Amino acid sequence: MKNLNASNFPDDLLYMCWLKFSSLLNNNYMYKLSGGISFSFRFRKEHFAHLIGLHKLEDIPLCNSLNDKTKHGIADIIYRKVKSKSADISYSVISSSKYFSQIEDRVTYFLNIDDVLFSNIIINFDKSKINSTLKSNMILYTYFNSKILHLCIYNYNKLCYPESFFARNYRYYIKNQTQRTVTEISIQNFKTKDNTTYSFDSSGNIKELVH
C-alpha cells in the first residue's frame, strides 16, 4: 500500500481524511483467519467523525454535540459539512482546539488506513489487561514508521463495525493479547459488484486471487 502522510497534501487535511474514508464506504470487508475464524464489516457515514476522534474536541460545539446522546444525526451533519468543505468544520478549525493533540495522530495517519486493513489482527481483545474503555473485541494493527496504527472492530451479535482508529508509539493495546494470522481478505463493492480476494503467504505477503 502507498504510504501517505500530512505533508503530502497542501489542502485541508480533514477533507483529505474524508476523501479516504469515502473511498471505503461502498465496500464490505470479509476476513478469514487462522483457526477457521471469519468475520466481515463495513464503514458507514456515521463512523467518520468518531474514527477521526472529533468527539474529543469538547471546546468546539459541533464536535462536542457528538457526546450528547439526546442529539441525533450529528455525525451525519459533520460528514456532510466536511464533504462540502464547510468553514464550520475544517482542519483549521479542529487544529485550533486545545484538545487537538489528543487526535492529531488520528488525523495525520488516517490516510494510511488501507495499510491497517491489510495487516495483523488480535481477536478476543481483553480490555481488562489494560483497563481500557474500548468495546472492541478485535484489533487490526500495523507498524508505520515509529507508530503502531490500530483499527478497533466491535463484534456485537455477529454484527461488526469499526469503533476506533488511533496511533500509538508503544504496544500497549497489542501486548499479551491473542493473535491470529489473516489468511484471506475479500472486498466486495456494493456499487460495482466487483469482488476482489487476496490471500497471504507464510511471510505475510499479499497475493491477489480474483478481481
Side-chain angles (χ1 to χ4, degrees):
M1 297 298 166
K2 184 179 180 181
N3 292 330
L4 304 172
N5 58 58
S7 63
N8 294 122
F9 298 101
D11 296 327
D12 187 287
L13 182 56
L14 182 60
Y15 178 73
M16 299 309 301
C17 289
W18 177 86
L19 280 178
K20 168 52 68 177
F21 180 83
S22 65
S23 73
L24 309 173
L25 282 180
N26 295 317
N27 296 329
N28 188 40
Y29 295 86
M30 297 167 283
Y31 288 76
K32 291 184 180 179
L33 314 178
S34 56
I37 299 168
S38 62
F39 71 95
S40 65
F41 72 93
R42 60 178 298 190
F43 295 90
R44 299 183 184 277
K45 293 177 181 179
E46 60 267 26
H47 298 152
F48 175 71
H50 194 82
L51 290 178
I52 294 295
L54 298 182
H55 58 290
K56 294 182 177 291
L57 307 183
E58 297 178 5
D59 53 351
I60 299 177
L62 180 60
C63 295
N64 192 39
S65 294
L66 290 164
N67 300 308
D68 188 341
K69 302 301 182 183
T70 67
K71 294 182 178 180
H72 305 289
I74 301 299
D76 185 60
I77 290 172
I78 290 176
Y79 178 89
R80 288 187 279 109
K81 281 181 174 290
V82 176
K83 177 183 179 180
S84 64
K85 298 185 178 181
S86 168
D88 295 341
I89 185 76
S90 64
Y91 185 76
S92 177
V93 170
I94 66 172
S95 61
S96 68
S97 168
K98 66 180 181 181
Y99 302 108
F100 182 66
S101 61
Q102 297 181 26
I103 73 164
E104 186 171 7
D105 276 352
R106 295 197 195 201
V107 179
T108 300
Y109 291 101
F110 192 79
L111 299 178
N112 297 95
I113 195 169
D114 283 338
D115 294 322
V116 189
L117 292 170
F118 289 83
S119 61
N120 310 289
I121 190 165
I122 286 169
I123 64 164
N124 300 327
F125 173 67
D126 185 354
K127 64 181 181 180
S128 67
K129 291 182 177 180
I130 59 172
N131 194 30
S132 171
T133 58
L134 283 172
K135 295 179 181 179
S136 294
N137 31 39
M138 296 180 287
I139 300 179
L140 287 160
Y141 70 95
T142 193
Y143 295 90
F144 181 79
N145 295 336
S146 61
K147 301 287 186 179
I148 304 173
L149 310 184
H150 306 69
L151 178 64
C152 303
I153 309 295
Y154 182 37
N155 185 344
Y156 180 73
N157 288 337
K158 297 185 179 180
L159 179 63
C160 299
Y161 69 87
E163 179 192 7
S164 186
F165 172 84
F166 53 85
R168 292 291 185 272
N169 295 319
Y170 42 83
R171 291 172 49 84
Y172 184 71
Y173 287 88
I174 61 178
K175 185 179 180 181
N176 299 323
Q177 297 286 347
T178 303
Q179 305 274 343
R180 284 291 183 271
T181 301
V182 177
T183 59
E184 187 176 292
I185 300 174
S186 293
I187 304 175
Q188 182 182 34
N189 187 286
F190 295 112
K191 275 193 172 182
T192 64
K193 306 302 181 182
D194 287 342
N195 189 75
T196 305
T197 301
Y198 304 86
S199 66
F200 296 78
D201 62 24
S202 58
S203 299
N205 297 314
I206 302 172
K207 178 182 179 181
E208 183 176 325
L209 294 180
V210 180
H211 184 76

PDB file of all heavy atoms in Angstrom, residues 50 53-71 74:
ATOM      1  N   HIS A  50     -16.307   9.803  14.545  1.00  0.00           N
ATOM      2  CA  HIS A  50     -15.757   9.118  15.720  1.00  0.00           C
ATOM      3  C   HIS A  50     -14.386   8.527  15.424  1.00  0.00           C
ATOM      4  O   HIS A  50     -13.482   8.593  16.271  1.00  0.00           O
ATOM      5  CB  HIS A  50     -16.710   8.019  16.188  1.00  0.00           C
ATOM      6  CG  HIS A  50     -16.389   7.508  17.561  1.00  0.00           C
ATOM      7  ND1 HIS A  50     -16.796   8.148  18.708  1.00  0.00           N
ATOM      8  CD2 HIS A  50     -15.668   6.431  17.966  1.00  0.00           C
ATOM      9  CE1 HIS A  50     -16.353   7.481  19.764  1.00  0.00           C
ATOM     10  NE2 HIS A  50     -15.666   6.438  19.333  1.00  0.00           N
ATOM     11  N   GLY A  53     -11.948  11.053  15.673  1.00  0.00           N
ATOM     12  CA  GLY A  53     -11.802  11.485  17.058  1.00  0.00           C
ATOM     13  C   GLY A  53     -12.409  12.846  17.363  1.00  0.00           C
ATOM     14  O   GLY A  53     -12.089  13.448  18.392  1.00  0.00           O
ATOM     15  N   LEU A  54     -13.302  13.331  16.503  1.00  0.00           N
ATOM     16  CA  LEU A  54     -13.829  14.680  16.675  1.00  0.00           C
ATOM     17  C   LEU A  54     -14.622  14.848  17.970  1.00  0.00           C
ATOM     18  O   LEU A  54     -14.745  15.961  18.488  1.00  0.00           O
ATOM     19  CB  LEU A  54     -14.693  15.059  15.471  1.00  0.00           C
ATOM     20  CG  LEU A  54     -13.972  15.101  14.116  1.00  0.00           C
ATOM     21  CD1 LEU A  54     -14.933  15.541  13.013  1.00  0.00           C
ATOM     22  CD2 LEU A  54     -12.768  16.039  14.167  1.00  0.00           C
ATOM     23  N   HIS A  55     -15.148  13.756  18.506  1.00  0.00           N
ATOM     24  CA  HIS A  55     -15.905  13.829  19.765  1.00  0.00           C
ATOM     25  C   HIS A  55     -15.046  14.278  20.935  1.00  0.00           C
ATOM     26  O   HIS A  55     -15.562  14.706  21.969  1.00  0.00           O
ATOM     27  CB  HIS A  55     -16.528  12.465  20.080  1.00  0.00           C
ATOM     28  CG  HIS A  55     -15.532  11.359  20.187  1.00  0.00           C
ATOM     29  ND1 HIS A  55     -14.843  10.868  19.079  1.00  0.00           N
ATOM     30  CD2 HIS A  55     -15.082  10.649  21.253  1.00  0.00           C
ATOM     31  CE1 HIS A  55     -14.043   9.910  19.471  1.00  0.00           C
ATOM     32  NE2 HIS A  55     -14.160   9.761  20.783  1.00  0.00           N
ATOM     33  N   LYS A  56     -13.733  14.194  20.800  1.00  0.00           N
ATOM     34  CA  LYS A  56     -12.828  14.593  21.876  1.00  0.00           C
ATOM     35  C   LYS A  56     -12.596  16.106  21.926  1.00  0.00           C
ATOM     36  O   LYS A  56     -12.044  16.612  22.906  1.00  0.00           O
ATOM     37  CB  LYS A  56     -11.491  13.857  21.732  1.00  0.00           C
ATOM     38  CG  LYS A  56     -11.584  12.347  21.939  1.00  0.00           C
ATOM     39  CD  LYS A  56     -10.231  11.690  21.825  1.00  0.00           C
ATOM     40  CE  LYS A  56     -10.323  10.189  22.103  1.00  0.00           C
ATOM     41  NZ  LYS A  56     -10.621   9.931  23.533  1.00  0.00           N
ATOM     42  N   LEU A  57     -13.006  16.808  20.895  1.00  0.00           N
ATOM     43  CA  LEU A  57     -12.783  18.256  20.826  1.00  0.00           C
ATOM     44  C   LEU A  57     -13.950  18.979  21.496  1.00  0.00           C
ATOM     45  O   LEU A  57     -14.816  19.562  20.854  1.00  0.00           O
ATOM     46  CB  LEU A  57     -12.616  18.692  19.370  1.00  0.00           C
ATOM     47  CG  LEU A  57     -11.549  17.931  18.574  1.00  0.00           C
ATOM     48  CD1 LEU A  57     -11.432  18.505  17.166  1.00  0.00           C
ATOM     49  CD2 LEU A  57     -10.196  17.959  19.284  1.00  0.00           C
ATOM     50  N   GLU A  58     -13.965  18.952  22.804  1.00  0.00           N
ATOM     51  CA  GLU A  58     -15.111  19.425  23.571  1.00  0.00           C
ATOM     52  C   GLU A  58     -15.289  20.937  23.532  1.00  0.00           C
ATOM     53  O   GLU A  58     -16.359  21.449  23.898  1.00  0.00           O
ATOM     54  CB  GLU A  58     -14.985  18.948  25.022  1.00  0.00           C
ATOM     55  CG  GLU A  58     -15.005  17.430  25.152  1.00  0.00           C
ATOM     56  CD  GLU A  58     -14.841  16.970  26.588  1.00  0.00           C
ATOM     57  OE1 GLU A  58     -14.804  17.838  27.488  1.00  0.00           O
ATOM     58  OE2 GLU A  58     -14.757  15.749  26.801  1.00  0.00           O
ATOM     59  N   ASP A  59     -14.266  21.676  23.114  1.00  0.00           N
ATOM     60  CA  ASP A  59     -14.391  23.132  23.044  1.00  0.00           C
ATOM     61  C   ASP A  59     -14.880  23.616  21.680  1.00  0.00           C
ATOM     62  O   ASP A  59     -14.971  24.815  21.431  1.00  0.00           O
ATOM     63  CB  ASP A  59     -13.063  23.817  23.399  1.00  0.00           C
ATOM     64  CG  ASP A  59     -11.892  23.301  22.573  1.00  0.00           C
ATOM     65  OD1 ASP A  59     -12.060  22.293  21.851  1.00  0.00           O
ATOM     66  OD2 ASP A  59     -10.802  23.893  22.664  1.00  0.00           O
ATOM     67  N   ILE A  60     -15.215  22.677  20.792  1.00  0.00           N
ATOM     68  CA  ILE A  60     -15.853  23.007  19.517  1.00  0.00           C
ATOM     69  C   ILE A  60     -17.289  22.492  19.602  1.00  0.00           C
ATOM     70  O   ILE A  60     -17.509  21.277  19.630  1.00  0.00           O
ATOM     71  CB  ILE A  60     -15.111  22.372  18.322  1.00  0.00           C
ATOM     72  CG1 ILE A  60     -13.677  22.903  18.255  1.00  0.00           C
ATOM     73  CG2 ILE A  60     -15.852  22.634  17.015  1.00  0.00           C
ATOM     74  CD1 ILE A  60     -12.839  22.289  17.164  1.00  0.00           C
ATOM     75  N   PRO A  61     -18.281  23.391  19.683  1.00  0.00           N
ATOM     76  CA  PRO A  61     -19.664  22.981  19.947  1.00  0.00           C
ATOM     77  C   PRO A  61     -20.182  21.863  19.040  1.00  0.00           C
ATOM     78  O   PRO A  61     -20.812  20.913  19.527  1.00  0.00           O
ATOM     79  CB  PRO A  61     -20.456  24.281  19.749  1.00  0.00           C
ATOM     80  CG  PRO A  61     -19.480  25.355  20.129  1.00  0.00           C
ATOM     81  CD  PRO A  61     -18.142  24.861  19.610  1.00  0.00           C
ATOM     82  N   LEU A  62     -19.929  21.957  17.743  1.00  0.00           N
ATOM     83  CA  LEU A  62     -20.426  20.938  16.826  1.00  0.00           C
ATOM     84  C   LEU A  62     -19.823  19.576  17.156  1.00  0.00           C
ATOM     85  O   LEU A  62     -20.532  18.563  17.166  1.00  0.00           O
ATOM     86  CB  LEU A  62     -20.115  21.321  15.378  1.00  0.00           C
ATOM     87  CG  LEU A  62     -20.591  20.344  14.306  1.00  0.00           C
ATOM     88  CD1 LEU A  62     -22.108  20.175  14.362  1.00  0.00           C
ATOM     89  CD2 LEU A  62     -20.172  20.826  12.919  1.00  0.00           C
ATOM     90  N   CYS A  63     -18.540  19.541  17.440  1.00  0.00           N
ATOM     91  CA  CYS A  63     -17.878  18.281  17.777  1.00  0.00           C
ATOM     92  C   CYS A  63     -18.346  17.759  19.130  1.00  0.00           C
ATOM     93  O   CYS A  63     -18.573  16.559  19.305  1.00  0.00           O
ATOM     94  CB  CYS A  63     -16.364  18.471  17.785  1.00  0.00           C
ATOM     95  SG  CYS A  63     -15.668  18.879  16.176  1.00  0.00           S
ATOM     96  N   ASN A  64     -18.499  18.643  20.096  1.00  0.00           N
ATOM     97  CA  ASN A  64     -18.939  18.241  21.423  1.00  0.00           C
ATOM     98  C   ASN A  64     -20.354  17.677  21.399  1.00  0.00           C
ATOM     99  O   ASN A  64     -20.723  16.862  22.254  1.00  0.00           O
ATOM    100  CB  ASN A  64     -18.865  19.424  22.390  1.00  0.00           C
ATOM    101  CG  ASN A  64     -19.026  19.003  23.840  1.00  0.00           C
ATOM    102  OD1 ASN A  64     -18.516  17.970  24.262  1.00  0.00           O
ATOM    103  ND2 ASN A  64     -19.755  19.795  24.607  1.00  0.00           N
ATOM    104  N   SER A  65     -21.143  18.095  20.415  1.00  0.00           N
ATOM    105  CA  SER A  65     -22.513  17.577  20.291  1.00  0.00           C
ATOM    106  C   SER A  65     -22.535  16.075  20.043  1.00  0.00           C
ATOM    107  O   SER A  65     -23.547  15.412  20.300  1.00  0.00           O
ATOM    108  CB  SER A  65     -23.256  18.298  19.157  1.00  0.00           C
ATOM    109  OG  SER A  65     -23.454  19.662  19.465  1.00  0.00           O
ATOM    110  N   LEU A  66     -21.435  15.533  19.554  1.00  0.00           N
ATOM    111  CA  LEU A  66     -21.356  14.085  19.339  1.00  0.00           C
ATOM    112  C   LEU A  66     -21.479  13.323  20.654  1.00  0.00           C
ATOM    113  O   LEU A  66     -21.844  12.144  20.671  1.00  0.00           O
ATOM    114  CB  LEU A  66     -20.027  13.723  18.671  1.00  0.00           C
ATOM    115  CG  LEU A  66     -19.849  14.163  17.219  1.00  0.00           C
ATOM    116  CD1 LEU A  66     -18.379  14.099  16.822  1.00  0.00           C
ATOM    117  CD2 LEU A  66     -20.685  13.287  16.291  1.00  0.00           C
ATOM    118  N   ASN A  67     -21.167  13.979  21.772  1.00  0.00           N
ATOM    119  CA  ASN A  67     -21.217  13.329  23.079  1.00  0.00           C
ATOM    120  C   ASN A  67     -22.581  13.441  23.752  1.00  0.00           C
ATOM    121  O   ASN A  67     -22.787  12.885  24.826  1.00  0.00           O
ATOM    122  CB  ASN A  67     -20.152  13.948  23.997  1.00  0.00           C
ATOM    123  CG  ASN A  67     -18.750  13.786  23.442  1.00  0.00           C
ATOM    124  OD1 ASN A  67     -18.342  12.684  23.089  1.00  0.00           O
ATOM    125  ND2 ASN A  67     -18.003  14.883  23.348  1.00  0.00           N
ATOM    126  N   ASP A  68     -23.493  14.171  23.132  1.00  0.00           N
ATOM    127  CA  ASP A  68     -24.835  14.365  23.677  1.00  0.00           C
ATOM    128  C   ASP A  68     -25.767  13.307  23.096  1.00  0.00           C
ATOM    129  O   ASP A  68     -26.146  13.369  21.926  1.00  0.00           O
ATOM    130  CB  ASP A  68     -25.343  15.770  23.336  1.00  0.00           C
ATOM    131  CG  ASP A  68     -26.647  16.114  24.039  1.00  0.00           C
ATOM    132  OD1 ASP A  68     -27.343  15.181  24.500  1.00  0.00           O
ATOM    133  OD2 ASP A  68     -26.980  17.312  24.115  1.00  0.00           O
ATOM    134  N   LYS A  69     -26.140  12.343  23.913  1.00  0.00           N
ATOM    135  CA  LYS A  69     -26.958  11.224  23.450  1.00  0.00           C
ATOM    136  C   LYS A  69     -28.369  11.657  23.057  1.00  0.00           C
ATOM    137  O   LYS A  69     -29.096  10.902  22.398  1.00  0.00           O
ATOM    138  CB  LYS A  69     -27.038  10.142  24.535  1.00  0.00           C
ATOM    139  CG  LYS A  69     -25.681   9.592  24.978  1.00  0.00           C
ATOM    140  CD  LYS A  69     -24.909   8.984  23.823  1.00  0.00           C
ATOM    141  CE  LYS A  69     -23.584   8.399  24.301  1.00  0.00           C
ATOM    142  NZ  LYS A  69     -22.763   7.867  23.176  1.00  0.00           N
ATOM    143  N   THR A  70     -28.772  12.864  23.461  1.00  0.00           N
ATOM    144  CA  THR A  70     -30.116  13.341  23.108  1.00  0.00           C
ATOM    145  C   THR A  70     -30.157  13.984  21.729  1.00  0.00           C
ATOM    146  O   THR A  70     -31.230  14.271  21.197  1.00  0.00           O
ATOM    147  CB  THR A  70     -30.627  14.364  24.147  1.00  0.00           C
ATOM    148  OG1 THR A  70     -29.831  15.563  24.075  1.00  0.00           O
ATOM    149  CG2 THR A  70     -30.557  13.790  25.548  1.00  0.00           C
ATOM    150  N   LYS A  71     -28.967  14.250  21.165  1.00  0.00           N
ATOM    151  CA  LYS A  71     -28.891  14.855  19.840  1.00  0.00           C
ATOM    152  C   LYS A  71     -28.561  13.779  18.807  1.00  0.00           C
ATOM    153  O   LYS A  71     -27.536  13.108  18.912  1.00  0.00           O
ATOM    154  CB  LYS A  71     -27.841  15.964  19.819  1.00  0.00           C
ATOM    155  CG  LYS A  71     -28.190  17.153  20.704  1.00  0.00           C
ATOM    156  CD  LYS A  71     -27.130  18.252  20.607  1.00  0.00           C
ATOM    157  CE  LYS A  71     -27.514  19.447  21.462  1.00  0.00           C
ATOM    158  NZ  LYS A  71     -26.494  20.532  21.396  1.00  0.00           N
ATOM    159  N   ILE A  74     -25.855  14.020  14.455  1.00  0.00           N
ATOM    160  CA  ILE A  74     -24.719  14.953  14.446  1.00  0.00           C
ATOM    161  C   ILE A  74     -23.576  14.410  13.588  1.00  0.00           C
ATOM    162  O   ILE A  74     -22.946  15.161  12.835  1.00  0.00           O
ATOM    163  CB  ILE A  74     -24.221  15.227  15.878  1.00  0.00           C
ATOM    164  CG1 ILE A  74     -25.346  15.812  16.737  1.00  0.00           C
ATOM    165  CG2 ILE A  74     -23.029  16.180  15.852  1.00  0.00           C
ATOM    166  CD1 ILE A  74     -25.882  17.127  16.233  1.00  0.00           C
TER     167      ILE A  74
END
